[in-house]
Amino acid sequence: MANTKAVNFAEIKANEGVPYAKPVQILDNDGNVVNEELMANFSDELLVDLMKKMVWARALHEQTMSFSKQGRLGFYAPTWGEEASEMGTAAAFKKQDFLFPAYRDLPQLIQHGATVAQMYLWSKGHIKGNLFDARALRPQIIIGAQMVEMAGGALGIKKNGEKDTVAYAYTGEGGSSQGDTYEGMNFAGAFQVPGVFIIQNNGWAISFPRKLQTETQTIAQKAVAAGIPGVQVDGMDVLACYEVAKEAREFAAGNGPVLIETLTYRFGAHSSAGDDPTRYRTEDETKPWFDKDPLIRLRKYLTKKGLWSEEEEQKYADECKQSFKEAMKEADSVEPEKVSDMLKRTFEVPTPDIKEQIKKYEEKESK
């Protein structure tokens, strides 16, 4: 394979962090190669693996939404449309890296080592959903807070002298409007920590459009104020997302933090809690994004190369969904938590009020 670079992060950093004028792209909407040099970095095996990861992620979304509608889960944030942004970037990191996910980043957390059953337990609010075997924090509910946590984690990696290790975190473009994101980037830049900030610009912070959130032309240019390099990538192109994230990781491991903005789109609702995207988005806006569907894009390219077929894709998606059904059975089989158990974990040494509540609920639960 070739070793052509998509981004010169050192150059961007030297240019006061000003990102490139155009987002990085390798495949266009029709699955045509627009950058042959970067395409040469991909083996057939890697191409198929990235396709399977996206099919897995979409199948996970579809099956999990079904479980949510059945009332078998708590909070769930849909990922439909963001498969390239999520799977492309996640695949570029290594097991020794430290992930700081948000609530929409369960697919990345599973790819990093958590199990699907554990993530279903997390959605149910069960403590065992937090006991996964992955170098990662639990999904953050507070918008943007994971960016500050990641900066601190990256400083820890640097202080510990860990080599070839970075911390990375995700948020949406709505999260980029939070002070925590700026604070995290500023801290990371000041201490030159090995961290990668990934902002998935999916167009909407629930019903609030990106165009009303900030006057800047890109989210990537917000890295300038922190003195770190920023780059914008076509978030519907899994190959571009993978290549940029891989290079960002390599740079951050020894040269300080990086900001990646992926231009993606949330096809469905913000969450399973009930918002209706048709009330704030028009068909004229959404159709062009559906035409950019990341699975269709890579499917066309792989099919032309004889590496993939729709029949193969359907078979794999069905296998994935069956495994998710088994994961839900596993999650459902775990004994539900008791209120008294939660209270016992609130403090290492329960306060008098908590002790009283524990006693109260234990009496109720014993009946």
Side-chain angles (χ1 to χ4, degrees):
M1 292 199 305
N3 194 29
T4 304
K5 295 291 185 181
V7 186
N8 187 333
F9 287 107
E11 179 182 69
I12 296 175
K13 186 174 182 178
N15 192 30
E16 296 184 344
V18 178
Y20 297 156
K22 294 182 178 180
V24 177
Q25 186 183 62
I26 297 176
L27 287 179
D28 66 14
N29 295 348
D30 297 318
N32 299 313
V33 178
V34 296
N35 192 318
E36 293 285 357
E37 290 185 340
L38 290 179
M39 178 56 80
N41 292 337
F42 292 84
S43 65
D44 289 350
E45 182 181 15
L46 178 55
L47 290 169
V48 171
D49 181 62
L50 289 171
M51 184 68 202
K52 292 182 76 172
K53 280 181 167 58
M54 288 200 295
V55 173
W56 173 89
R58 181 155 297 181
L60 177 67
H61 160 78
E62 291 174 353
Q63 189 60 57
T64 305
M65 276 298 292
S66 177
F67 289 146
S68 182
K69 290 177 180 178
Q70 294 168 20
R72 299 172 71 183
L73 291 173
F75 179 83
Y76 170 65
T79 58
W80 182 28
E82 298 185 28
E83 294 88 358
S85 175
E86 293 179 341
M87 294 296 98
T89 54
F93 292 91
K94 300 181 179 180
K95 291 300 181 183
Q96 67 264 30
D97 296 332
F98 213 120
L99 169 61
F100 292 78
Y103 52 77
R104 200 179 302 277
D105 304 321
L106 303 190
Q108 299 97 298
L109 185 50
I110 295 168
Q111 290 289 322
H112 199 54
T115 69
V116 177
Q118 287 168 332
M119 291 300 91
Y120 285 159
L121 284 169
W122 178 85
S123 178
K124 290 169 177 281
H126 200 290
I127 185 64
K128 289 189 176 180
N130 295 320
L131 305 180
F132 44 78
D133 185 17
R135 208 172 192 205
L137 252 62
R138 286 68 189 156
Q140 178 60 262
I141 294 295
I142 301 172
I143 307 299
Q146 67 276 17
M147 299 309 220
V148 175
E149 294 172 339
M150 188 274 277
L155 180 61
I157 290 171
K158 183 176 182 179
K159 291 286 189 181
N160 289 337
E162 296 185 50
K163 304 299 182 184
D164 190 29
T165 304
V166 304
Y168 61 115
Y170 293 85
T171 192
E173 93 291 337
S176 74
S177 298
Q178 293 290 109
D180 282 358
T181 298
Y182 291 100
E183 292 165 16
M185 289 195 298
N186 186 69
F187 182 95
F191 289 93
Q192 287 295 284
V193 302
V196 180
F197 296 89
I198 303 171
I199 297 178
Q200 301 188 98
N201 181 355
N202 63 23
W204 293 85
I206 309 183
S207 60
F208 203 72
R210 177 252 186 268
K211 63 185 178 182
L212 296 180
Q213 294 178 47
T214 179
E215 188 63 20
T216 58
Q217 293 184 356
T218 71
I219 303 296
Q221 71 193 75
K222 298 193 177 208
V224 174
I228 67 177
V231 63
Q232 193 179 61
V233 60
D234 181 349
M236 308 300 266
D237 179 355
V238 69
L239 306 187
C241 289
Y242 173 81
E243 185 62 29
V244 168
K246 179 170 69 71
E247 294 179 21
R249 186 198 176 279
E250 292 171 356
F251 180 86
N255 301 285
V258 171
L259 169 65
I260 299 172
E261 174 191 3
T262 66
L263 294 173
T264 184
Y265 197 75
R266 169 169 56 81
F267 285 163
H270 174 266
S271 77
S272 59
D275 74 292
D276 179 5
T278 63
R279 297 182 64 182
Y280 52 83
R281 298 193 311 212
T282 66
E283 185 177 349
D284 288 341
E285 178 204 332
T286 58
K287 186 182 184 306
W289 283 103
F290 277 102
D291 293 338
K292 299 177 182 180
D293 188 309
L295 273 72
I296 295 175
R297 185 182 304 198
L298 186 56
R299 181 192 302 141
K300 287 180 177 179
Y301 177 76
L302 293 182
T303 300
K304 285 185 287 187
K305 289 197 68 176
L307 297 172
W308 195 252
S309 68
E310 290 197 44
E311 293 77 17
E312 187 176 358
E313 182 174 326
Q314 186 60 57
K315 179 183 177 183
Y316 183 63
D318 290 342
E319 291 172 355
C320 290
K321 289 183 179 180
Q322 183 57 42
S323 72
F324 303 148
K325 291 175 183 177
E326 295 300 319
M328 179 54 80
K329 288 181 182 178
E330 180 183 341
D332 285 342
S333 69
V334 176
E335 183 180 355
E337 286 200 275
K338 299 175 181 177
V339 175
S340 60
D341 292 334
M342 181 273 292
L343 291 169
K344 290 174 183 177
R345 293 193 303 267
T346 304
F347 295 102
E348 183 176 2
V349 179
T351 63
D353 286 347
I354 294 293
K355 286 182 179 178
E356 185 177 327
Q357 291 179 51
I358 291 172
K359 181 180 179 182
K360 171 185 174 183
Y361 280 99
E362 282 184 332
E363 290 175 352
K364 286 185 176 182
E365 293 159 355
S366 65
K367 294 180 181 179

